């Protein structure tokens, strides 16, 4: 098949926020389709904060492809499990075309009324992270009060909506701008929200939840974690999902000064990786798809268009330019 494939390598270690010059856009002839493989033309690529962590020394090799979640269409196949036209999910990352084996690709179901991109947002690893954090780690109960940080991002926009669907009494979100705060309450079903730039997180949270909170879904770490520990009620739970406030720091300071409150209040703080919970995917889809169809759940996404914009979208994500899940569209749906 004639044509070229484009792909992106990390070529330098970022110091702080990554720069466009940390990446190289490369081109090669389309790979030959060997027996047992299929060629996928990508449609959507995911850019995620964890990629920033992996760019540090010792966690990735320079001048190699960047791993990541992608959705594409099979255009040629020598594997009976993958047929031309199939829409598949795979992890071959930032490239226009990928050669995949059936074991490395999931043929996606089509749910009427649900956009394909949702398999990278609420029905993808992002939504699964939110669902697992709330149901398996925090074990949220109806009637409880929940705080979610980075609430207007991919995981956060899913977590807030899912917490409400699970019957939370109050869902509070924090985000980095007044426009995001407005969006949380007007579009994403948060009961209360605040901009974390407006004061110490603990004080802003206490104002929103004078009676305290039962669950903290932590995407941010640092001052957010410390503030939530202050406001959690006895026997509260923290699902520690991420620490995006620290990823660009040369010397991350994850440890909150009030950590011993975990003992005084009999709190449970549990970290988790979504990769240990892939088996929950079917449960996630069974739970969320009816709400997506009815409109009670929004697949909140920012979609940048064009392969040339992948690195830019990734850098923008780390600066909070996204509303919901940041996705790059690189091909026709
Ligand atoms: P987001 O869509 O939430 O994007 C990152 C957001 O972080 C930005 O939009 C920005 O929003 C916010 N942010 C950036 N810097 C800061 C800061 N200094 N303080 C507070 N907020 C900041 O990304 P994801 O939804 O993909 O990921 C959210 C979190 O979940 C990350 O920590 C990620 O690592 C984690 N994660 C963990 C997984 C797991 O398996 N444990 C799996 C997937 C994600 P704002 O404008 O509000 O500042």
């Amino acid at each position: 098949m004639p044509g070229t494939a484009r792909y992106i390598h990390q070529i330098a270690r970022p110091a702080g926020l990554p720069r466009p010059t940390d990446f190289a856009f490369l081109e090669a002839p389309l790979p030959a389709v060997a027996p047992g493989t299929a060629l996928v033309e990508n449609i959507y690529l995911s850019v995620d904060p964890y990629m920033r962590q992996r760019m540090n020394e010792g966690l990735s090799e320079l001048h190699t492809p960047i791993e990541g979640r992608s959705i594409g269409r099979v255009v040629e196949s020598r594997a009976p499990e993958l047929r031309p036209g199939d829409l598949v999910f795979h992890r071959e990352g930032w490239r226009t075309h990928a050669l995949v084996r059936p074991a490395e690709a999931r043929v996606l179901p089509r749910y009427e009324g649900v956009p394909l991109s949702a398999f990278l947002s609420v029905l993808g690893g992002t939504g699964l992270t939110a669902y697992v954090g709330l149901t398996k780690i925090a074990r949220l109960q109806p009637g409880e009060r929940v705080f979610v940080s980075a609430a207007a991002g991919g995981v956060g926009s899913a977590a807030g909506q899912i917490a409400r669907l699970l019957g939370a009494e109050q869902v509070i979100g924090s985000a980095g701008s007044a426009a995001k705060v407005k969006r949380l309450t007007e579009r994403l079903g948060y009961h209360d929200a605040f901009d974390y730039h407006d004061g110490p997180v603990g004080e802003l949270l206490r104002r929103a939840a004078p009676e305290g909170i039962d669950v903290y879904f932590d995407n941010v770490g640092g001052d957010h974690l410390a503030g939530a520990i202050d406001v959690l009620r006895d026997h509260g739970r923290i699902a520690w999902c991420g620490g995006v406030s620290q990823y660009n720091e040369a010397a991350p300071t994850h440890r909150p000064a009030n950590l011993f409150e975990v003992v005084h209040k009999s709190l449970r703080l549990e970290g988790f990786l979504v990769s240990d919970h892939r088996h929950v995917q079917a449960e996630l889809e069974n739970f969320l798809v009816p709400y997506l169809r009815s409109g009670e759940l929004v697949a909140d996404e920012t979609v940048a268009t064009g392969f040339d914009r992948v690195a830019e979208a990734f850098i923008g994500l780390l600066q909070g330019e996204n509303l919901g899940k940041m996705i790059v569209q690189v091909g026709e749906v």
Side-chain angles (χ1 to χ4, degrees), residues 48-50 53 126 129 150 153-156 175-176 180 196 219-220 224 241-245 247 272-275 317-318 320 322 324:
D48 299 270
Y50 78 84
Q53 287 175 289
T126 296
T129 303
V155 173
K180 286 189 177 182
Y196 60 82
N219 288 316
V220 169
H224 274 75
C241 172
V244 71
S245 68
Y247 295 165
F272 68 102
L273 287 175
V274 69
S275 49
L317 167 82
L318 296 173
N322 57 312

Side-chain angles (χ1 to χ4, degrees), residues 256-274:
N258 59 352
L259 188 61
F260 199 65
E261 286 299 304
V262 169
V263 176
H264 283 149
K265 294 186 181 182
S266 303
L267 303 179
R268 180 162 59 79
L269 188 163
E270 184 174 342
F272 68 102
L273 287 175
V274 69

